[in-house]
Coordinates of all heavy atoms in Angstrom, one line a residue:
M1 N 1.9 13.7 4.3 CA 1.9 13.7 2.8 C 0.5 13.9 2.3 O -0.5 13.6 3.1 CB 2.4 12.3 2.3 CG 3.9 12.1 2.4 SD 4.4 10.7 1.4 CE 6.1 10.9 1.5
P2 N 0.3 14.3 1.1 CA -1.1 14.5 0.6 C -1.8 13.2 0.3 O -1.3 12.1 0.5 CB -0.8 15.3 -0.7 CG 0.6 15.0 -1.1 CD 1.3 14.7 0.2
T3 N -3.0 13.4 -0.2 CA -3.9 12.3 -0.5 C -3.5 11.8 -1.9 O -3.2 12.6 -2.8 CB -5.3 12.7 -0.5 OG1 -5.6 13.2 0.9 CG2 -6.3 11.6 -0.8
F4 N -3.6 10.5 -2.1 CA -3.3 9.8 -3.4 C -4.5 9.0 -3.8 O -5.3 8.5 -2.9 CB -2.1 9.0 -3.3 CG -0.8 9.7 -3.0 CD1 -0.5 10.1 -1.7 CD2 0.0 10.1 -4.0 CE1 0.6 10.8 -1.4 CE2 1.2 10.8 -3.7 CZ 1.5 11.2 -2.4
T5 N -4.6 8.7 -5.1 CA -5.6 7.7 -5.6 C -4.9 6.4 -6.0 O -3.9 6.5 -6.7 CB -6.3 8.3 -6.8 OG1 -7.0 9.5 -6.4 CG2 -7.4 7.3 -7.3
V6 N -5.5 5.3 -5.5 CA -4.9 4.0 -5.9 C -5.3 3.7 -7.3 O -6.5 3.6 -7.6 CB -5.3 2.9 -4.9 CG1 -4.8 1.6 -5.3 CG2 -4.9 3.3 -3.5
T7 N -4.3 3.5 -8.2 CA -4.6 3.2 -9.6 C -4.5 1.8 -10.0 O -5.1 1.3 -11.0 CB -3.7 4.0 -10.5 OG1 -2.3 3.7 -10.2 CG2 -3.9 5.5 -10.3
S8 N -3.8 1.0 -9.3 CA -3.7 -0.5 -9.5 C -3.2 -1.2 -8.3 O -2.5 -0.6 -7.5 CB -2.8 -0.8 -10.8 OG -1.5 -0.4 -10.5
V9 N -3.5 -2.5 -8.2 CA -3.0 -3.3 -7.1 C -2.2 -4.4 -7.7 O -2.6 -5.1 -8.6 CB -4.2 -3.9 -6.3 CG1 -3.7 -4.9 -5.3 CG2 -5.0 -2.8 -5.7
I10 N -0.9 -4.4 -7.3 CA 0.1 -5.4 -7.8 C -0.1 -6.7 -7.1 O -0.1 -7.8 -7.8 CB 1.5 -4.8 -7.6 CG1 1.6 -3.4 -8.1 CG2 2.5 -5.8 -8.2 CD1 1.3 -3.2 -9.6
D11 N -0.1 -6.7 -5.8 CA -0.4 -8.0 -5.0 C -1.0 -7.6 -3.7 O -1.4 -6.4 -3.6 CB 0.9 -8.8 -4.9 CG 2.0 -8.0 -4.2 OD1 1.8 -7.1 -3.4 OD2 3.2 -8.4 -4.4
G12 N -1.0 -8.4 -2.7 CA -1.6 -8.2 -1.5 C -1.0 -7.1 -0.6 O -1.7 -6.6 0.3
D13 N 0.2 -6.7 -0.9 CA 0.8 -5.6 -0.2 C 1.6 -4.6 -1.0 O 2.5 -4.0 -0.5 CB 1.6 -6.2 1.0 CG 2.7 -7.2 0.6 OD1 3.0 -7.2 -0.6 OD2 3.1 -7.9 1.5
T14 N 1.2 -4.5 -2.2 CA 1.9 -3.5 -3.1 C 0.8 -2.9 -4.1 O 0.1 -3.7 -4.6 CB 3.0 -4.1 -3.9 OG1 4.0 -4.7 -3.0 CG2 3.7 -3.0 -4.8
F15 N 0.8 -1.6 -4.2 CA -0.1 -1.0 -5.1 C 0.5 0.3 -5.7 O 1.6 0.7 -5.3 CB -1.4 -0.7 -4.4 CG -1.3 0.1 -3.2 CD1 -1.3 1.5 -3.3 CD2 -1.2 -0.5 -2.0 CE1 -1.2 2.3 -2.1 CE2 -1.1 0.3 -0.8 CZ -1.1 1.7 -0.9
E16 N -0.1 0.8 -6.7 CA 0.3 2.1 -7.3 C -0.6 3.2 -7.1 O -1.8 3.0 -7.0 CB 0.6 1.9 -8.8 CG 1.7 0.9 -9.1 CD 2.1 0.8 -10.6 OE1 1.1 0.9 -11.4 OE2 3.3 0.7 -10.9
V17 N -0.1 4.4 -7.1 CA -0.9 5.6 -6.8 C -0.6 6.7 -7.8 O 0.4 6.7 -8.5 CB -0.6 6.1 -5.4 CG1 -1.0 5.2 -4.3 CG2 0.9 6.6 -5.2
T18 N -1.5 7.6 -7.8 CA -1.3 8.9 -8.6 C -1.8 10.0 -7.7 O -2.7 9.8 -6.9 CB -2.1 8.9 -9.9 OG1 -1.7 10.0 -10.7 CG2 -3.6 8.9 -9.7
P19 N -1.1 11.2 -7.7 CA 0.1 11.5 -8.4 C 1.3 10.7 -7.7 O 1.2 10.0 -6.8 CB 0.3 13.0 -8.2 CG -0.4 13.2 -6.9 CD -1.5 12.2 -6.8
Q20 N 2.5 10.9 -8.3 CA 3.7 10.3 -7.8 C 4.0 10.8 -6.4 O 3.8 12.0 -6.1 CB 4.9 10.6 -8.7 CG 4.8 9.9 -10.0 CD 6.2 10.0 -10.7 OE1 6.9 10.9 -10.5 NE2 6.4 9.1 -11.7
W21 N 4.5 9.9 -5.5 CA 5.0 10.4 -4.2 C 6.4 10.9 -4.4 O 7.1 10.6 -5.4 CB 4.9 9.3 -3.2 CG 5.5 8.0 -3.6 CD1 4.8 6.9 -4.0 CD2 6.9 7.6 -3.7 NE1 5.7 5.9 -4.3 CE2 7.0 6.3 -4.2 CE3 8.1 8.3 -3.5 CZ2 8.2 5.6 -4.4 CZ3 9.3 7.6 -3.7 CH2 9.3 6.3 -4.1
Q22 N 6.8 11.7 -3.5 CA 8.2 12.3 -3.4 C 8.7 12.1 -2.0 O 8.0 12.5 -1.1 CB 8.2 13.8 -3.8 CG 7.7 14.0 -5.2 CD 7.8 15.5 -5.6 OE1 8.0 16.3 -4.7 NE2 7.5 15.8 -6.8
W23 N 9.9 11.5 -1.9 CA 10.5 11.3 -0.5 C 12.0 11.3 -0.7 O 12.5 10.5 -1.5 CB 9.9 10.1 0.1 CG 10.3 9.9 1.5 CD1 9.9 10.6 2.6 CD2 11.2 8.9 2.0 NE1 10.5 10.1 3.7 CE2 11.3 9.1 3.4 CE3 12.0 7.9 1.4 CZ2 12.1 8.3 4.2 CZ3 12.8 7.1 2.2 CH2 12.9 7.3 3.6
N24 N 12.7 12.0 0.1 CA 14.1 12.0 0.2 C 14.8 12.1 -1.2 O 15.7 11.4 -1.6 CB 14.7 10.8 0.9 CG 14.7 10.9 2.4 OD1 14.4 12.0 2.9 ND2 15.0 9.8 3.0
G25 N 14.2 13.0 -2.1 CA 14.7 13.2 -3.4 C 14.4 12.2 -4.4 O 14.9 12.2 -5.5
Q26 N 13.5 11.2 -4.1 CA 13.1 10.2 -5.0 C 11.6 10.4 -5.3 O 10.9 10.9 -4.4 CB 13.4 8.8 -4.5 CG 14.9 8.6 -4.4 CD 15.3 7.2 -4.1 OE1 14.8 6.3 -4.8 NE2 16.0 7.0 -3.0
T27 N 11.2 9.8 -6.4 CA 9.7 9.8 -6.7 C 9.3 8.5 -7.2 O 10.2 7.7 -7.6 CB 9.4 10.9 -7.8 OG1 10.1 10.5 -9.0 CG2 9.7 12.3 -7.4
G28 N 8.1 8.2 -7.2 CA 7.6 6.9 -7.7 C 6.1 6.8 -7.5 O 5.4 7.7 -7.0
T29 N 5.6 5.6 -7.9 CA 4.2 5.4 -7.8 C 3.8 4.1 -7.0 O 2.7 4.0 -6.5 CB 3.5 5.2 -9.2 OG1 4.2 4.1 -9.9 CG2 3.6 6.4 -10.0
R30 N 4.8 3.3 -6.8 CA 4.6 2.0 -6.0 C 4.7 2.3 -4.5 O 5.6 3.0 -4.1 CB 5.5 0.9 -6.5 CG 5.1 0.5 -7.9 CD 5.7 -0.9 -8.2 NE 5.1 -1.3 -9.5 CZ 5.1 -2.5 -9.9 NH1 5.7 -3.5 -9.2 NH2 4.6 -2.8 -11.1
V31 N 3.8 1.6 -3.8 CA 3.7 1.8 -2.3 C 3.7 0.4 -1.7 O 2.9 -0.5 -2.1 CB 2.5 2.6 -1.9 CG1 2.4 2.7 -0.4 CG2 2.5 4.0 -2.6
R32 N 4.4 0.3 -0.6 CA 4.4 -0.9 0.2 C 4.0 -0.5 1.6 O 4.7 0.1 2.3 CB 5.7 -1.6 0.3 CG 5.9 -2.7 1.3 CD 5.0 -3.9 1.1 NE 5.3 -5.0 2.0 CZ 4.7 -5.1 3.1 NH1 3.8 -4.3 3.6 NH2 4.9 -6.2 3.9
P33 N 2.7 -0.8 2.0 CA 2.2 -0.3 3.4 C 2.9 -1.1 4.5 O 3.3 -2.3 4.3 CB 0.7 -0.6 3.4 CG 0.5 -1.6 2.3 CD 1.6 -1.5 1.3
T34 N 3.1 -0.5 5.6 CA 3.7 -1.1 6.8 C 2.6 -1.8 7.6 O 1.4 -1.5 7.4 CB 4.4 -0.1 7.7 OG1 3.4 0.9 8.1 CG2 5.5 0.6 7.0
G35 N 3.0 -2.7 8.5 CA 2.1 -3.3 9.5 C 1.5 -4.6 9.2 O 0.9 -5.2 10.0
Y36 N 1.7 -5.1 7.9 CA 1.1 -6.4 7.6 C 1.9 -7.0 6.4 O 2.5 -6.3 5.7 CB -0.4 -6.5 7.3 CG -0.8 -5.9 6.0 CD1 -1.0 -6.8 4.9 CD2 -0.9 -4.6 5.8 CE1 -1.4 -6.3 3.7 CE2 -1.2 -4.1 4.5 CZ -1.5 -4.9 3.5 OH -1.8 -4.5 2.2
Y37 N 1.8 -8.3 6.3 CA 2.5 -9.0 5.2 C 1.5 -9.9 4.5 O 0.7 -10.6 5.2 CB 3.7 -9.9 5.7 CG 4.8 -9.1 6.3 CD1 4.9 -8.9 7.6 CD2 5.7 -8.5 5.4 CE1 5.9 -8.1 8.2 CE2 6.7 -7.7 6.0 CZ 6.8 -7.5 7.3 OH 7.8 -6.7 7.9
A38 N 1.4 -9.8 3.2 CA 0.5 -10.7 2.4 C 1.3 -11.8 1.8 O 2.5 -11.6 1.5 CB -0.2 -9.9 1.4
P39 N 0.7 -12.9 1.6 CA 1.4 -14.0 0.8 C 1.8 -13.5 -0.6 O 1.2 -12.7 -1.2 CB 0.4 -15.1 0.8 CG -0.7 -14.8 1.6 CD -0.7 -13.3 1.9
E40 N 2.9 -14.1 -1.1 CA 3.3 -13.7 -2.4 C 2.2 -14.2 -3.4 O 1.5 -15.2 -3.1 CB 4.7 -14.4 -2.8 CG 5.8 -13.9 -2.0 CD 6.1 -12.4 -2.2 OE1 6.0 -12.0 -3.3 OE2 6.5 -11.8 -1.2
L41 N 2.1 -13.5 -4.5 CA 1.0 -13.7 -5.4 C 1.0 -15.2 -5.9 O -0.1 -15.7 -6.1 CB 1.1 -12.7 -6.6 CG -0.1 -12.6 -7.5 CD1 -1.4 -12.3 -6.7 CD2 0.1 -11.6 -8.5
H42 N 2.2 -15.7 -6.1 CA 2.2 -17.1 -6.7 C 2.1 -18.2 -5.6 O 2.2 -19.4 -5.9 CB 3.5 -17.3 -7.4 CG 4.8 -17.2 -6.6 ND1 5.3 -16.0 -6.2 CD2 5.5 -18.1 -6.0 CE1 6.3 -16.2 -5.4 NE2 6.5 -17.5 -5.3
T43 N 1.9 -17.8 -4.3 CA 1.7 -18.8 -3.3 C 0.3 -18.9 -2.8 O -0.5 -18.0 -3.2 CB 2.7 -18.5 -2.1 OG1 2.2 -17.2 -1.5 CG2 4.1 -18.4 -2.5
Y44 N 0.0 -19.9 -2.0 CA -1.3 -20.1 -1.5 C -1.8 -18.8 -0.7 O -1.1 -18.3 0.1 CB -1.4 -21.3 -0.5 CG -2.7 -21.5 0.1 CD1 -3.8 -22.1 -0.6 CD2 -3.0 -21.0 1.4 CE1 -5.0 -22.3 -0.1 CE2 -4.3 -21.2 2.0 CZ -5.3 -21.8 1.2 OH -6.5 -22.0 1.8
G45 N -3.0 -18.3 -1.1 CA -3.5 -17.1 -0.4 C -3.1 -15.8 -1.1 O -3.7 -14.8 -0.7
G46 N -2.2 -15.9 -2.0 CA -1.7 -14.6 -2.6 C -2.8 -13.9 -3.4 O -2.9 -12.7 -3.4
Q47 N -3.5 -14.7 -4.2 CA -4.5 -14.0 -5.1 C -5.7 -13.5 -4.2 O -6.2 -12.5 -4.5 CB -5.1 -15.0 -6.1 CG -6.0 -14.4 -7.1 CD -5.4 -13.3 -8.0 OE1 -4.3 -13.6 -8.5 NE2 -6.0 -12.2 -8.0
V48 N -6.0 -14.3 -3.1 CA -7.1 -13.8 -2.2 C -6.7 -12.5 -1.6 O -7.5 -11.6 -1.5 CB -7.3 -14.9 -1.1 CG1 -8.3 -14.4 -0.1 CG2 -7.9 -16.1 -1.8
A49 N -5.4 -12.4 -1.2 CA -4.9 -11.2 -0.5 C -5.0 -10.0 -1.5 O -5.4 -8.9 -1.2 CB -3.5 -11.4 0.0
K50 N -4.6 -10.3 -2.8 CA -4.6 -9.2 -3.8 C -6.0 -8.7 -4.0 O -6.3 -7.6 -4.1 CB -4.0 -9.7 -5.1 CG -4.1 -8.7 -6.2 CD -3.5 -9.2 -7.5 CE -3.7 -8.1 -8.6 NZ -3.3 -8.6 -9.9
D51 N -6.9 -9.7 -4.2 CA -8.3 -9.4 -4.4 C -8.9 -8.6 -3.2 O -9.7 -7.6 -3.5 CB -9.2 -10.6 -4.6 CG -8.8 -11.3 -5.9 OD1 -8.1 -10.7 -6.8 OD2 -9.2 -12.5 -6.1
K52 N -8.6 -8.9 -2.0 CA -9.1 -8.2 -0.8 C -8.6 -6.8 -0.9 O -9.4 -5.8 -0.6 CB -8.7 -8.9 0.4 CG -9.2 -8.2 1.7 CD -8.8 -8.9 2.9 CE -9.3 -8.2 4.2 NZ -9.0 -8.9 5.4
L53 N -7.3 -6.6 -1.1 CA -6.8 -5.2 -1.2 C -7.4 -4.4 -2.3 O -7.8 -3.3 -2.1 CB -5.2 -5.3 -1.4 CG -4.5 -3.9 -1.3 CD1 -4.7 -3.2 0.0 CD2 -3.0 -4.1 -1.6
A54 N -7.6 -5.0 -3.4 CA -8.2 -4.3 -4.6 C -9.7 -3.9 -4.2 O -10.1 -2.8 -4.5 CB -8.2 -5.2 -5.8
R55 N -10.4 -4.8 -3.6 CA -11.8 -4.5 -3.3 C -11.9 -3.3 -2.3 O -12.8 -2.5 -2.3 CB -12.5 -5.7 -2.7 CG -13.0 -6.7 -3.7 CD -14.0 -7.7 -3.1 NE -13.4 -8.3 -1.9 CZ -12.7 -9.5 -1.9 NH1 -12.4 -10.0 -3.0 NH2 -12.2 -10.0 -0.8
L56 N -10.9 -3.3 -1.4 CA -10.8 -2.2 -0.4 C -10.4 -0.9 -0.9 O -11.1 0.1 -0.6 CB -9.9 -2.7 0.7 CG -9.8 -1.8 2.0 CD1 -11.2 -1.9 2.7 CD2 -8.7 -2.4 2.9
I57 N -9.3 -0.8 -1.7 CA -8.7 0.5 -2.0 C -8.6 0.9 -3.5 O -8.3 2.1 -3.7 CB -7.4 0.7 -1.3 CG1 -6.3 -0.3 -1.9 CG2 -7.5 0.6 0.2 CD1 -4.9 0.0 -1.5
L58 N -8.8 0.0 -4.4 CA -8.7 0.3 -5.8 C -9.6 1.5 -6.2 O -10.8 1.4 -6.0 CB -8.9 -0.9 -6.7 CG -8.6 -0.6 -8.2 CD1 -7.2 -0.2 -8.4 CD2 -9.0 -1.9 -9.0
G59 N -9.1 2.5 -6.7 CA -9.8 3.7 -7.1 C -10.2 4.6 -6.0 O -10.8 5.6 -6.2
Q60 N -9.7 4.3 -4.8 CA -10.1 5.1 -3.6 C -8.9 6.0 -3.2 O -7.8 5.9 -3.7 CB -10.3 4.1 -2.4 CG -11.4 3.2 -2.6 CD -12.8 3.8 -2.8 OE1 -13.1 4.7 -2.0 NE2 -13.5 3.4 -3.8
Q61 N -9.3 7.0 -2.3 CA -8.3 7.9 -1.8 C -7.6 7.4 -0.6 O -8.3 6.8 0.3 CB -9.0 9.3 -1.5 CG -9.7 9.9 -2.6 CD -8.7 10.6 -3.5 OE1 -7.9 11.5 -3.0 NE2 -8.7 10.3 -4.8
I62 N -6.3 7.5 -0.5 CA -5.6 7.1 0.7 C -4.6 8.2 1.1 O -4.4 9.1 0.3 CB -4.8 5.8 0.4 CG1 -3.8 6.0 -0.8 CG2 -5.7 4.6 0.2 CD1 -2.7 5.0 -0.8
E63 N -4.1 8.0 2.3 CA -3.1 9.0 2.7 C -1.8 8.2 3.0 O -1.8 7.1 3.6 CB -3.5 9.6 4.0 CG -4.6 10.6 3.9 CD -5.0 11.2 5.2 OE1 -4.1 11.7 5.9 OE2 -6.2 11.1 5.6
L64 N -0.7 8.7 2.5 CA 0.6 8.2 2.8 C 1.2 9.0 3.9 O 1.4 10.2 3.7 CB 1.5 8.2 1.6 CG 0.9 7.5 0.3 CD1 2.0 7.5 -0.8 CD2 0.6 6.0 0.6
R65 N 1.5 8.4 5.0 CA 2.0 9.2 6.2 C 3.4 8.9 6.4 O 4.2 9.0 5.4 CB 1.1 8.9 7.4 CG -0.3 9.5 7.2 CD -1.1 9.4 8.4 NE -2.5 9.8 8.2 CZ -3.5 9.8 9.1 NH1 -3.2 9.3 10.3 NH2 -4.7 10.2 8.8
T66 N 3.9 8.5 7.5 CA 5.3 8.3 7.8 C 5.9 7.3 6.8 O 5.5 6.2 6.7 CB 5.5 7.8 9.2 OG1 4.8 8.7 10.1 CG2 6.9 7.7 9.6
A67 N 7.0 7.8 6.1 CA 7.7 7.0 5.2 C 9.0 6.5 5.9 O 9.6 7.3 6.7 CB 8.1 7.8 4.0
Y68 N 9.4 5.3 5.6 CA 10.6 4.7 6.3 C 11.7 4.4 5.4 O 12.9 4.6 5.8 CB 10.2 3.4 7.0 CG 9.1 3.6 8.0 CD1 7.7 3.4 7.7 CD2 9.4 4.0 9.3 CE1 6.8 3.6 8.7 CE2 8.5 4.3 10.3 CZ 7.1 4.1 9.9 OH 6.1 4.3 10.9
R69 N 11.4 4.0 4.2 CA 12.5 3.7 3.2 C 11.9 3.4 1.9 O 10.7 3.3 1.7 CB 13.3 2.5 3.7 CG 12.6 1.2 3.7 CD 13.4 0.0 4.2 NE 12.7 -1.2 4.1 CZ 11.7 -1.7 5.0 NH1 11.4 -0.9 6.0 NH2 11.1 -2.8 4.8
I70 N 12.8 3.2 0.9 CA 12.4 2.8 -0.4 C 12.9 1.4 -0.6 O 14.2 1.2 -0.5 CB 12.8 3.8 -1.5 CG1 12.1 5.1 -1.3 CG2 12.5 3.3 -2.9 CD1 12.5 6.3 -2.2
D71 N 12.1 0.5 -1.0 CA 12.5 -0.9 -1.1 C 12.1 -1.3 -2.5 O 10.9 -1.4 -2.8 CB 11.8 -1.8 -0.1 CG 12.1 -3.2 -0.3 OD1 13.2 -3.6 -0.6 OD2 11.1 -4.0 -0.1
R72 N 13.0 -1.6 -3.4 CA 12.8 -2.1 -4.7 C 11.8 -1.1 -5.4 O 10.9 -1.5 -6.1 CB 12.3 -3.5 -4.7 CG 13.3 -4.5 -4.3 CD 12.8 -5.9 -4.2 NE 12.1 -6.0 -3.0 CZ 11.4 -7.1 -2.7 NH1 11.2 -8.1 -3.5 NH2 10.7 -7.2 -1.5
G73 N 12.0 0.2 -5.3 CA 11.2 1.2 -6.0 C 9.9 1.5 -5.3 O 9.1 2.3 -5.8
R74 N 9.6 0.8 -4.2 CA 8.4 1.0 -3.5 C 8.6 1.9 -2.2 O 9.6 1.6 -1.5 CB 7.8 -0.3 -3.0 CG 7.5 -1.3 -4.1 CD 7.0 -2.6 -3.5 NE 8.0 -3.2 -2.6 CZ 7.8 -4.3 -1.9 NH1 6.7 -5.0 -2.0 NH2 8.8 -4.7 -1.1
L75 N 7.8 2.9 -2.0 CA 7.8 3.7 -0.8 C 7.2 2.8 0.3 O 6.0 2.5 0.3 CB 7.1 5.0 -1.0 CG 7.1 5.9 0.2 CD1 8.5 6.4 0.5 CD2 6.1 7.1 0.0
V76 N 8.0 2.5 1.3 CA 7.5 1.8 2.5 C 7.0 2.8 3.5 O 7.9 3.6 4.0 CB 8.6 0.9 3.1 CG1 8.0 0.1 4.3 CG2 9.1 -0.1 2.0
C77 N 5.7 2.8 3.8 CA 5.2 3.9 4.6 C 3.9 3.4 5.3 O 3.3 2.4 4.9 CB 5.0 5.1 3.8 SG 3.7 4.9 2.5
D78 N 3.5 4.2 6.3 CA 2.2 4.0 6.9 C 1.1 4.5 5.9 O 1.2 5.6 5.4 CB 2.1 4.8 8.2 CG 3.1 4.3 9.3 OD1 3.5 3.1 9.2 OD2 3.4 5.1 10.2
V79 N 0.1 3.7 5.7 CA -1.0 4.0 4.8 C -2.3 4.1 5.6 O -2.6 3.2 6.3 CB -1.1 3.0 3.6 CG1 -2.3 3.3 2.7 CG2 0.2 2.9 2.8
F80 N -3.0 5.2 5.3 CA -4.3 5.3 6.0 C -5.4 5.4 5.0 O -5.3 6.0 4.0 CB -4.3 6.6 6.9 CG -3.6 6.3 8.2 CD1 -2.2 6.3 8.2 CD2 -4.3 6.1 9.3 CE1 -1.5 6.1 9.4 CE2 -3.6 5.9 10.5 CZ -2.2 5.9 10.6
F81 N -6.5 4.6 5.3 CA -7.7 4.6 4.4 C -8.9 4.8 5.4 O -9.0 4.1 6.3 CB -7.8 3.2 3.7 CG -9.0 3.0 3.0 CD1 -9.3 3.8 1.9 CD2 -9.9 2.0 3.3 CE1 -10.5 3.7 1.1 CE2 -11.1 1.8 2.6 CZ -11.4 2.7 1.5
R82 N -9.6 5.8 5.1 CA -10.8 6.2 5.9 C -10.4 6.4 7.3 O -11.0 5.9 8.3 CB -11.9 5.2 5.8 CG -12.5 5.1 4.4 CD -13.6 4.1 4.3 NE -14.1 4.1 2.9 CZ -14.8 3.1 2.4 NH1 -15.0 2.0 3.1 NH2 -15.2 3.2 1.1
N83 N -9.2 7.1 7.5 CA -8.7 7.4 8.8 C -8.3 6.3 9.7 O -8.1 6.4 10.9 CB -9.7 8.3 9.6 CG -9.8 9.7 9.0 OD1 -8.8 10.3 8.5 ND2 -11.0 10.2 8.9
R84 N -8.1 5.1 9.0 CA -7.6 3.9 9.8 C -6.4 3.4 9.0 O -6.3 3.5 7.8 CB -8.6 2.8 9.7 CG -9.8 3.0 10.6 CD -10.8 1.9 10.5 NE -10.2 0.6 10.9 CZ -10.8 -0.6 10.6 NH1 -12.0 -0.6 10.0 NH2 -10.2 -1.7 11.0
N85 N -5.4 3.0 9.8 CA -4.2 2.4 9.3 C -4.6 1.2 8.4 O -5.4 0.3 8.9 CB -3.2 2.0 10.4 CG -1.9 1.6 9.8 OD1 -1.8 0.8 8.9 ND2 -0.8 2.2 10.4
L86 N -4.1 1.1 7.2 CA -4.5 0.0 6.3 C -4.2 -1.4 6.9 O -5.0 -2.3 6.7 CB -3.7 0.1 5.0 CG -4.1 -0.8 3.9 CD1 -5.6 -0.6 3.5 CD2 -3.2 -0.6 2.7
A87 N -3.2 -1.5 7.8 CA -2.8 -2.7 8.4 C -4.0 -3.3 9.3 O -4.1 -4.5 9.5 CB -1.6 -2.6 9.2
E88 N -4.8 -2.4 9.8 CA -6.0 -2.8 10.6 C -7.0 -3.6 9.8 O -7.8 -4.3 10.5 CB -6.6 -1.6 11.3 CG -5.7 -0.8 12.2 CD -6.4 0.4 12.8 OE1 -7.6 0.5 12.8 OE2 -5.6 1.3 13.2
Y89 N -7.0 -3.5 8.5 CA -7.9 -4.3 7.7 C -7.4 -5.7 7.4 O -8.2 -6.5 6.8 CB -8.2 -3.6 6.4 CG -8.9 -2.2 6.5 CD1 -8.1 -1.1 6.6 CD2 -10.3 -2.2 6.5 CE1 -8.8 0.2 6.7 CE2 -10.9 -1.0 6.6 CZ -10.2 0.2 6.7 OH -10.8 1.4 6.8
F90 N -6.2 -6.0 7.8 CA -5.6 -7.3 7.5 C -5.1 -8.0 8.7 O -4.7 -7.3 9.7 CB -4.4 -7.1 6.5 CG -4.9 -6.6 5.2 CD1 -5.0 -5.2 5.0 CD2 -5.3 -7.5 4.2 CE1 -5.4 -4.7 3.8 CE2 -5.7 -7.0 3.0 CZ -5.8 -5.6 2.8
D91 N -5.0 -9.3 8.7 CA -4.3 -10.1 9.7 C -2.8 -9.8 9.6 O -2.3 -9.6 8.5 CB -4.5 -11.6 9.5 CG -6.0 -12.0 9.6 OD1 -6.7 -11.3 10.4 OD2 -6.4 -13.0 9.0
R92 N -2.2 -9.9 10.7 CA -0.7 -9.6 10.7 C 0.1 -10.8 10.5 O -0.1 -11.8 10.6 CB -0.3 -8.9 12.0 CG -1.1 -7.6 12.1 CD -0.7 -6.8 13.3 NE -1.6 -5.7 13.3 CZ -1.3 -4.5 13.2 NH1 -0.1 -4.1 13.1 NH2 -2.2 -3.5 13.3

C-alpha cells in the first residue's frame, strides 16, 4: 500500500490517516496497527499510550502494509514507520 500521513491519534492503538485507505472494496481513514495492544483511553495508562503514539507518528508518513480485516471501521494492518514495524516501538 502507498504512504499515508497520520492526521490524528484517537488512542494508543488507533489513528487516522490521509488519503483514505482502500481494501477489499471498502475505504476509510481509521487504522488499527497489529502487533501490540494499548490500554483503553479511559483506563490506567491509556492517556500515556495515546501521548506516546502521537509524539511518534502524528503528522508523520507511515506505510500500511499487509491488511487483515476491518474492525469497527478500522483497517487492521501491519504499520511501518521509518522502515520499522510500529509494534517494535511498544511493549506487547
Side-chain angles (χ1 to χ4, degrees):
M1 286 193 170
T3 301
F4 296 83
T5 300
V6 177
T7 57
S8 67
V9 172
I10 308 302
D11 61 23
D13 54 17
T14 303
F15 55 86
E16 293 189 321
V17 296
T18 189
Q20 290 189 339
W21 47 258
Q22 297 179 353
W23 186 72
N24 277 357
Q26 296 187 53
T27 61
T29 58
R30 289 200 174 195
V31 175
R32 167 65 173 92
T34 59
Y36 76 97
Y37 295 96
E40 295 298 322
L41 193 55
H42 64 279
T43 64
Y44 179 78
Q47 186 63 50
V48 171
K50 178 183 177 181
D51 293 345
K52 180 177 179 177
L53 183 61
R55 282 193 306 273
L56 186 65
I57 64 170
L58 185 59
Q60 301 295 315
Q61 299 282 306
I62 59 164
E63 292 179 53
L64 305 182
R65 294 189 183 173
T66 305
Y68 299 97
R69 66 184 184 279
I70 295 175
D71 175 42
R72 293 178 279 171
R74 304 175 301 178
L75 180 66
V76 179
C77 63
D78 295 334
V79 176
F80 282 76
F81 175 62
R82 296 180 179 160
N83 291 319
R84 288 179 57 195
N85 190 309
L86 188 61
E88 295 176 25
Y89 293 92
F90 296 89
D91 296 331
R92 295 185 190 242

